[in-house]
């Protein structure tokens, strides 16, 4: 039973390049969340998606960042024109349908660590 | 603005030395208080969800409790394998229980 799969695990980009991070949720999970963990800071919510829909993007920076979760394939977090301040660990989490009996547990991937030179 | 504050930032214990980690929260309309464990280089791993003041949950050497203002994670007779960063997070309700406000974590080190 594969967990949440993220790739790449490590990514190095130069300033101005694009970064694409991919996340495949656990089997049977239709909700995907992206979190960012900056050095010396806690996890910060970025965006919540369901298949083909962005439900809540209140944590996404207004520019250069976008996310999608297409009908087929993984969720993608895209960062255009990266800057040094984008260097962080980006975690994806998934959950099943919400409802009674759920603990609210999120299943996290192992993260993608972006380094911007 | 919702806030979650954890203390201490770091805690060093001897094996078998029990202690508690604190999580203070100001989350408007708290719908759930979560504890996660994170090992270096890994993603957070779910431990507990607490929903109402007075609630307690236990798992092996860990027990989580909740009051109206804070939560505690009690560690009884810890072992070196309990060393990790422990994260507390609050959920304010709304459209998704996956939108959590995390604290900065407590780094626990247990020495043999």
């Amino acid at each position: 039973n594969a967990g949440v799969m993220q790739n790449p695990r490590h990514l190095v980009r130069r300033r101005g390049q694009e970064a694409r991070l991919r996340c495949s949720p656990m089997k049977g999970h239709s909700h995907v969340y992206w979190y960012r963990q900056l050095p010396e800071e806690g996890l910060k919510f970025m965006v919540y998606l369901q298949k083909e829909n962005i439900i809540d993007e209140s944590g996404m920076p207004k520019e250069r960042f976008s996310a999608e979760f297409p009908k087929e394939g993984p969720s993608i977090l895209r960062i255009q024109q990266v800057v040094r301040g984008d260097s962080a660990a980006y975690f994806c989490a998934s959950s099943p349908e919400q409802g009674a009996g759920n603990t609210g547990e999120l299943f996290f991937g192992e993260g993608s660590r972006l380094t911007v030179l | 603005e919702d806030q979650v504050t954890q203390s201490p930032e770091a805690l060093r214990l001897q094996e078998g030395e029990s202690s508690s980690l604190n999580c203070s929260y100001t989350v408007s309309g708290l719908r759930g208080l979560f504890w996660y464990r994170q090992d270096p280089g890994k993603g957070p791993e779910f431990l507990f969800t607490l929903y109402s003041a007075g609630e307690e949950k236990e798992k092996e050497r860990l027990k989580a409790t909740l009051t109206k203002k804070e939560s505690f994670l009690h560690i009884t007779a810890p072992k070196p394998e309990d060393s990790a960063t422990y994260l507390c997070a609050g959920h304010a309700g709304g459209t998704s229980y996956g939108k959590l406000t995390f604290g900065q974590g407590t780094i626990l080190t247990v020495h043999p």
Side-chain angles (χ1 to χ4, degrees):
Chain A
N1 182 19
V4 176
M5 304 300 293
Q6 289 190 248
N7 66 83
R9 293 291 314 279
H10 300 275
L11 183 64
V12 179
R13 285 288 179 265
R14 296 190 180 280
R15 281 179 296 171
Q17 291 185 318
E18 178 178 290
R20 283 189 180 225
L21 311 177
R22 289 176 291 279
C23 169
S24 295
M26 282 186 70
K27 187 176 180 181
H29 287 189
S30 56
H31 301 244
V32 166
Y33 310 84
W34 285 93
Y35 281 80
R36 177 164 68 172
Q37 190 169 42
L38 291 164
E40 309 303 324
E41 293 189 23
L43 283 159
K44 303 289 186 192
F45 169 82
M46 299 181 75
V47 63
Y48 160 44
L49 310 105
Q50 295 179 21
K51 284 286 187 182
E52 300 185 279
N53 285 304
I54 297 174
I55 307 301
D56 184 340
E57 57 181 347
S58 58
M60 287 279 271
K62 295 286 183 261
E63 298 177 345
R64 302 185 297 107
F65 285 72
S66 61
E68 63 176 10
F69 188 16
K71 186 177 180 181
E72 301 291 338
S75 175
I76 307 285
L77 180 67
R78 181 184 180 202
I79 312 172
Q80 296 178 287
Q81 300 175 329
V82 296
V83 301
R84 289 214 174 115
D86 297 333
S87 295
Y90 291 83
F91 289 94
C92 171
S94 72
S95 69
E97 291 290 336
Q98 300 177 47
N102 282 330
T103 61
E105 175 182 359
L106 294 183
F107 295 81
F108 282 85
E110 297 203 327
S112 291
R113 281 148 186 85
L114 172 66
T115 302
V116 180
L117 301 177
Chain B
E1 182 182 338
D2 295 337
Q3 260 194 321
V4 175
T5 304
Q6 292 186 246
S7 62
E9 290 185 14
L11 180 62
R12 303 169 79 92
L13 298 174
Q14 289 297 125
E15 185 172 1
E17 180 187 2
S18 301
S19 189
S20 296
L21 312 183
N22 177 263
C23 170
S24 299
Y25 63 88
T26 51
V27 176
S28 178
L30 184 80
R31 295 292 183 88
L33 191 290
F34 296 79
W35 283 96
Y36 282 82
R37 169 189 170 132
Q38 186 174 21
D39 292 299
K42 304 287 187 181
E45 179 183 341
F46 174 78
L47 292 173
F48 303 109
T49 310
L50 301 165
Y51 291 105
S52 56
E55 189 175 0
E56 296 183 355
K57 289 201 176 159
E58 286 189 66
K59 180 179 178 180
E60 295 181 353
R61 295 177 292 283
L62 301 177
K63 183 168 84 171
T65 62
L66 182 66
T67 72
K68 288 186 177 179
K69 293 183 180 179
E70 56 193 349
S71 177
F72 294 92
L73 184 65
H74 307 278
I75 304 176
T76 302
K79 298 181 177 181
E81 53 262 43
D82 295 322
S83 298
T85 297
Y86 289 86
L87 303 172
C88 173
H91 170 52
T95 57
S96 166
Y97 57 52
K99 182 180 179 181
L100 303 179
T101 300
F102 277 89
Q104 288 189 271
T106 293
I107 302 170
L108 174 66
T109 305
V110 182
H111 296 283

